[in-house]
Amino acid sequence: MLIVPPGSGIVHQVNLEYLARVVFQTDDGLLYPDTVVGTDSHTTMINGLGVLGWGVGGIEAEAVMLGQAISMVLPEVVGFKLTGHLNSIATSTDLVLTITAILRKLGVVNKFVEFFGNGCQGLSIADRATISNMAPEYGATCGFFPVDVKTLEYLRQTGRSEKKVAVVEAYLRATGMFRDYSDISEEPHFTTVIELDLSKVVPCISGPKRPHDNVPITEVREDFEKALVNKIGFKGFAIAPEKAGQRAPLSYEGVDYELTHGDVVIAAITSCTNTSNPSVMLGAGLVAKKAVERGLTVKPYIKTSLSPGSGVATKYLQQSGLTPYLEALGFGLTGYGCMTCIGNSGPLHPAVAATVEQGDLVVAGVLSGNRNFEGRIHPSTRANYLASPPLVVAFAIAGTVVIDFDKEPIGRSPDGSAVYLRDIWPSRSEIEQLEREVIRPAMFEEVYSRVENGNSRWNALEAHPSELYPWDVNSTYVKYPPYFDRMSLNIAPIFPIRDAHVLLNLGDSITTDHISPAGNIARNSPAARYLTDRGVAPKDYNSYGSRRGHDVVMKCGTFANIRLVNKLVSKPGPRTVHFPTGEELDIPDVADRYIAAGVPTIILTGKEYGSGSSRDWAAKGPLLLGVKAVIAESYERIHRSNLIGMGIAPLQYLSGQTADSLGLTGKEKFTVALHDNIQPGDQVNISTDDGKVFNVLARFDTEVELTYYRNGGVLNYMVRKMIQSG
C-alpha cells in the first residue's frame, strides 16, 4: 500500500502527475485499463488522462473497504464535441467555466460526458484535466477524454518510463481504445451531442454564488451592480439602491483606505483545478512580472495566497524566474492543498472584517478554485468568483470586481499613466514558449521521489497496536459515533413516516456547504457553545472540517451556513421554527425538541439538492438531527447516495411539480406512506394534515440501494453482513 502523507499536495493532482498508470499490468503480465473511484468528487480530474474515474461518498467508500461492491445504473453518455482552437487570450479556465455553464443548462446529472472532436487535439493533458476536474460542477459523473498521443507525451513529461509508455500505447492501440481526435471515422455515436467552437470562448469568471453562473469579464461590472440590488438569490444581495454606493473607512497598518461594495479582500491562486496546469500558472506569473515592471501593486489589506496542488508548480515557477514577481504582489507560497477553495483562507485582518460588517458591504473573494458557494470561501465575502490564476492576479491588482477591463485601467504606474489589462496580459504563444523552456521530467521525478517521506510532525506520530480503536472520551475531535447504538441483527420492516414536521423549507441549489460547512466555527454557533462548555477557547475552535470525527460538533454544525435561506424564517441564517411552540431557534435546538418528543422531521427543497463536495456529514448530520426523508425536485448523484447510505429516504416531486405548485408552505404535518413492499422506481403517496395529497418518486434506483435503506444505512448493512458471515 502506498501512503501519501499530508502536505504533499492535493490527491487529484498527485494522481495525475504520479500515481495513475493509465494501463495496469499484473505480475503475470495481464493488462487492463486503469480506473479509479475516490472519496472526493473531484476524483474526476483523472479522466483528462484517459483514466475512467469518479467520486463517491465516504459512506459508500467505507462499505467498499469492508468488501461491498459499488452498484450504479448504467449511465447515458453525452457527447461533447470540441472544434477549432482557443484564441490567443483565452485560458483553459475560461474554457471549463464556459463548459460548466453549458452542461448545467443541459442537465447531465448521473450521466457520463465524453469529449471528442478535432478541438481536443489542441488541448494539453493539463487543459483536459482542468475540464475533467469540474465534472461535479457541471453535474456529470465524469468528463472523459480518451487516450491519444498527447497522453503519451504527458506521461513522458511527468517522468513515467519509456517502457511504461510503450506498454500503454501498444495495449490501447491493440484494443481499439487509442483515439485520433482528427479522424472523423473514430468519433463515437451518442444519444445526445452538444458542440462548442473553442474560438468562441472568451475570458470570463463565474459567480458570485455558483460555479455555473458564467460572466464574461467585459460584463462583470454590470453583472455585479445588478446583483447588488436584486432580491436575495443566486444573482442578488438585496442591498437597498440608496446604499449601493456605500463606502466605509478602513484604517490598516497606519494608512487610511475606504472599502465599498465589490472590493476584493481575498485573492487566492489555489485548488487542483488550475494549479495542475502550467499554462495558467506561468500565465499568472507573467501577469505578475509585467505588472511589477509597470510599478503596479496590490493593496496590503487584500489577503493574497498561492497554494498549488503539488510541489512541481513551485519548481517550474522558480525555474522560470517568476516567483519573486508573484511574491512582490503578495502571492507567496502558503503550502500545498485546497486551502481557500474549501474555506481555509484563515481570518481576514480584524480591521477589514469589522469594516465589512459595520458597513454591510458585499465584498469579493476571487480564487482559481472550483466552488464558490455561499458561505464557503469566507463568512465576510458574500460575492465569490472563480477565475483563472492570471485573472486572480489581475483582480487583486484592480482591487475590485466592479471594473470593465476592456475600458478601464487596471491601475496606474508611478508616473500616473494608465495601465490596462491588455498591457500586461501574456499571449498564448508566449506562455507556451516559456512552458517548453522550463517544464522538465526531472522536476516531477525529484518531487515524487520523496512523496512518501512526510514531514517531522507526521513521522513523529505514534500508533499503538490495538485491535480496537482507543477512544478518548474527553476528546473534542474524535468521538465514538452513535450510529449502531440501538441496532439489532433483525431488520425492521419499512413503516410510514407519520405526522412529520418540516425542519427546513429550502430552495434550489442547496449545496453540501449549506448542509455541512467545512470552514471555521463561528463564535455564536451551537458548535461553539458545545466546545466552550468543554473548556475549548475560541481561538482553538478550529474548523468543522477538522472536527468531522466528532458527531456532536458536526451535528451542531449541520445547516450552520450563515447564508442558508430557510423559507420558514424571515432572515438568512441557521435558524428554523419549532411549530408546536412557534419559537424561532437554532436548527439543532429545534431538532432536539422534536427528537425528545418522538416527532419525525423532513426537509422540503428544490433542484440540485446536495450539489458540491461529496461530504459524508451532509447526510450524517441530518440523520442525527432526526430527519427521516428529503423531498426535492432533483438531487446531485453523490448526495442522494449518501442519504440512502445513512437511512434517509430521498423522495422526488413528480415532473412539473414543486412545493409551490402543490401549495406546500412547510407548516403542514406530513405522512409519507413508505411501506415494506416498495420497489426501485415506485411512487409513494404523501398526505398532509390540511388535506393535500400527492405522489412522489422514491429515489431508490437499484435493489442494492433499497437493501441499504431497509438496513437503516449501508454501514448497518455491512455490520450485519460481517456478523452473519462469522
Side-chain angles (χ1 to χ4, degrees):
M1 178 184 291
L2 174 64
I3 296 176
V4 179
S8 302
I10 301 173
V11 63
H12 316 307
Q13 194 162 334
V14 174
N15 192 23
L16 181 74
E17 296 174 350
Y18 177 64
L19 296 174
R21 297 166 173 83
V22 184
V23 172
F24 262 87
Q25 184 171 8
T26 64
D27 292 339
D28 57 0
L30 177 66
L31 301 175
Y32 58 94
D34 191 358
T35 58
V36 61
V37 174
T39 56
D40 185 274
S41 53
H42 291 111
T43 299
T44 54
M45 186 174 187
I46 203 60
N47 289 273
L49 193 64
V51 175
L52 182 63
W54 62 85
V56 297
I59 298 165
E60 188 172 4
E62 288 167 354
V64 171
M65 287 188 284
L66 295 172
Q68 181 68 6
I70 290 175
S71 69
M72 65 184 299
V73 177
L74 191 66
E76 177 188 343
V77 181
V78 173
F80 200 123
K81 187 172 186 176
L82 300 176
T83 61
H85 300 274
L86 288 173
N87 64 52
S88 63
I89 60 172
T91 67
S92 58
T93 313
D94 303 321
L95 174 56
V96 72
L97 296 180
T98 301
I99 288 172
T100 299
I102 291 170
L103 288 175
R104 264 296 170 190
K105 185 175 180 180
L106 176 67
V108 290
V109 174
N110 291 322
K111 299 176 183 179
F112 287 10
V113 174
E114 180 174 329
F115 294 90
F116 71 106
N118 59 36
C120 295
Q121 63 186 346
L123 299 176
S124 68
I125 295 304
D127 292 339
R128 298 175 193 178
T130 298
I131 295 167
S132 295
N133 177 283
M134 286 192 71
E137 282 64 57
Y138 48 79
T141 302
C142 65
F144 183 73
F145 286 87
V147 171
D148 71 338
V149 291
K150 284 284 182 73
T151 314
L152 305 180
E153 292 170 4
Y154 182 82
L155 293 175
R156 293 187 179 98
Q157 183 189 57
T158 52
R160 272 79 161 199
S161 70
E162 280 297 331
K163 180 180 178 182
K164 174 64 180 176
V165 175
V167 169
V168 169
E169 181 176 11
Y171 171 77
L172 293 176
R173 286 191 184 278
T175 55
M177 290 189 285
F178 196 88
R179 180 68 55 82
D180 179 355
Y181 287 106
S182 65
D183 188 345
I184 297 177
S185 68
E186 292 189 13
E187 293 183 356
H189 297 285
F190 300 96
T191 53
T192 303
V193 172
I194 194 163
E195 188 169 338
L196 175 65
D197 179 352
L198 297 180
S199 68
K200 305 297 185 184
V201 175
V202 299
C204 58
I205 62 177
S206 284
K209 300 183 182 183
R210 297 190 300 186
H212 53 281
D213 291 331
N214 182 263
V215 188
I217 60 168
T218 55
E219 300 174 16
V220 173
R221 168 188 274 278
E222 180 184 4
D223 188 80
F224 179 84
E225 289 175 342
K226 287 180 179 178
L228 192 63
V229 297
N230 285 347
K231 68 178 183 179
I232 289 290
F234 304 122
K235 288 282 189 178
F237 298 102
I239 297 297
E242 63 272 17
K243 293 187 177 181
Q246 175 92 350
R247 308 187 77 83
L250 167 66
S251 179
Y252 183 85
E253 295 182 349
V255 180
D256 292 333
Y257 301 91
E258 277 190 332
L259 287 184
T260 188
H261 299 298
D263 280 355
V264 173
V265 296
I266 291 177
I269 299 174
T270 182
S271 167
C272 51
T273 304
N274 287 291
T275 66
S276 61
N277 194 331
S279 68
V280 292
M281 294 296 285
L282 292 170
L286 287 170
V287 169
K289 179 177 184 293
K290 296 181 181 191
V292 170
E293 290 171 346
R294 295 282 190 124
L296 301 182
T297 60
V298 173
K299 291 182 176 67
Y301 60 78
I302 298 176
K303 186 154 195 166
T304 48
S305 61
L306 170 65
S307 51
S310 87
V312 175
T314 307
K315 291 288 183 185
Y316 62 68
L317 286 172
Q318 291 172 341
Q319 180 67 25
S320 65
L322 296 174
T323 298
Y325 298 103
L326 286 165
E327 291 176 342
L329 296 180
F331 292 96
L333 180 70
T334 55
Y336 304 100
C338 301
M339 300 199 185
T340 300
C341 189
I342 200 171
N344 290 333
S345 66
L348 295 176
H349 189 279
V352 176
T355 299
V356 171
E357 182 177 358
Q358 292 164 11
D360 191 26
L361 298 178
V362 179
V363 293
V366 183
L367 64 151
S368 64
N370 44 51
R371 288 179 178 143
N372 55 341
F373 302 128
E374 294 176 293
R376 177 184 174 99
I377 305 306
H378 193 281
S380 294
T381 58
R382 279 187 268 178
N384 295 284
Y385 292 92
L386 306 181
S388 66
L391 279 177
V392 170
V393 176
F395 277 109
I397 295 168
T400 179
V401 296
V402 188
I403 185 171
D404 181 342
F405 283 128
D406 267 8
K407 300 176 181 177
E408 301 173 68
I410 191 173
R412 294 190 177 273
S413 59
D415 64 6
S417 58
V419 180
Y420 290 83
L421 180 59
R422 57 181 172 269
D423 299 327
I424 61 173
W425 193 263
S427 67
R428 177 171 287 272
S429 60
E430 187 179 357
I431 295 171
E432 289 174 346
Q433 175 63 31
L434 183 59
E435 188 174 349
R436 285 192 294 270
E437 292 173 1
V438 302
I439 305 296
R440 295 286 182 268
M443 293 179 175
F444 295 87
E445 293 166 2
E446 179 186 350
V447 168
Y448 288 111
S449 66
R450 56 178 187 271
V451 73
E452 296 180 67
N453 294 352
N455 55 50
S456 57
R457 295 177 68 184
W458 171 262
N459 295 328
L461 290 175
E462 295 183 4
H464 301 287
S466 174
E467 289 187 6
L468 298 175
Y469 184 80
W471 301 98
D472 178 359
V473 295
N474 296 315
S475 174
T476 56
Y477 278 94
V478 181
K479 175 180 172 291
Y480 182 82
Y483 310 126
F484 312 113
D485 286 354
R486 291 179 293 277
M487 178 183 163
S488 68
L489 276 177
N490 298 320
I491 301 172
I494 296 175
F495 291 111
I497 302 168
R498 298 188 184 280
D499 295 326
H501 274 298
V502 173
L503 184 64
L504 298 162
N505 186 4
L506 308 170
D508 294 341
S509 295
I510 295 298
T511 71
T512 52
D513 281 291
H514 289 105
I515 306 168
S516 182
N520 289 339
I521 296 172
R523 296 192 177 197
N524 60 348
S525 65
R529 293 197 294 272
Y530 175 85
L531 292 170
T532 300
D533 289 346
R534 280 144 189 83
V536 179
K539 66 181 179 64
D540 297 320
Y541 286 165
N542 212 326
S543 66
Y544 288 110
S546 69
R547 294 187 182 272
R548 66 182 65 181
H550 197 287
D551 62 273
V552 179
V553 174
M554 297 306 290
K555 173 190 172 185
C556 290
T558 303
F559 294 107
N561 190 304
I562 60 172
R563 307 295 177 206
L564 182 74
V565 176
N566 174 16
K567 298 175 186 178
L568 301 179
V569 294
S570 59
K571 297 179 180 179
R575 307 270 288 179
T576 196
V577 173
H578 180 248
F579 286 110
T581 63
E583 293 175 90
E584 181 181 314
L585 304 165
D586 289 327
I587 292 169
D589 295 336
V590 172
D592 284 344
R593 289 192 181 186
Y594 284 134
I595 292 170
V599 176
T601 56
I602 64 171
I603 292 170
L604 304 182
T605 186
K607 301 181 184 71
E608 301 169 1
Y609 183 71
S611 55
S613 303
S614 56
R615 201 163 287 169
D616 301 358
W617 274 104
K620 291 177 178 176
L623 173 75
L624 295 177
L625 292 178
V627 173
K628 302 301 181 185
V630 176
I631 310 176
E633 292 177 48
S634 65
Y635 293 90
E636 289 294 279
R637 174 183 59 88
I638 295 176
H639 186 62
R640 185 191 63 82
S641 173
N642 277 345
L643 289 174
I644 295 169
M646 293 309 298
I648 297 174
L651 308 175
Q652 188 167 312
Y653 296 108
L654 301 184
S655 180
Q657 293 185 342
T658 66
D660 288 342
S661 72
L662 294 168
L664 304 177
T665 65
K667 298 177 181 179
E668 307 89 346
K669 290 183 181 179
F670 289 74
T671 293
V672 182
L674 290 166
H675 54 85
D676 206 38
N677 295 320
I678 191 169
Q679 297 298 315
D682 278 0
Q683 293 185 14
V684 174
N685 179 263
I686 295 181
S687 58
T688 66
D689 63 339
D690 62 356
K692 301 183 184 79
V693 179
F694 58 99
N695 283 356
V696 294
L697 179 66
R699 285 297 310 277
F700 306 112
D701 292 352
T702 67
E703 289 284 356
V704 173
E705 289 182 345
L706 197 51
T707 298
Y708 292 162
Y709 180 74
R710 289 182 185 280
N711 277 267
V714 64
L715 299 181
N716 306 57
Y717 168 79
M718 289 306 302
V719 168
R720 288 190 178 102
K721 183 178 177 181
M722 292 169 68
I723 292 173
Q724 290 166 356
S725 64

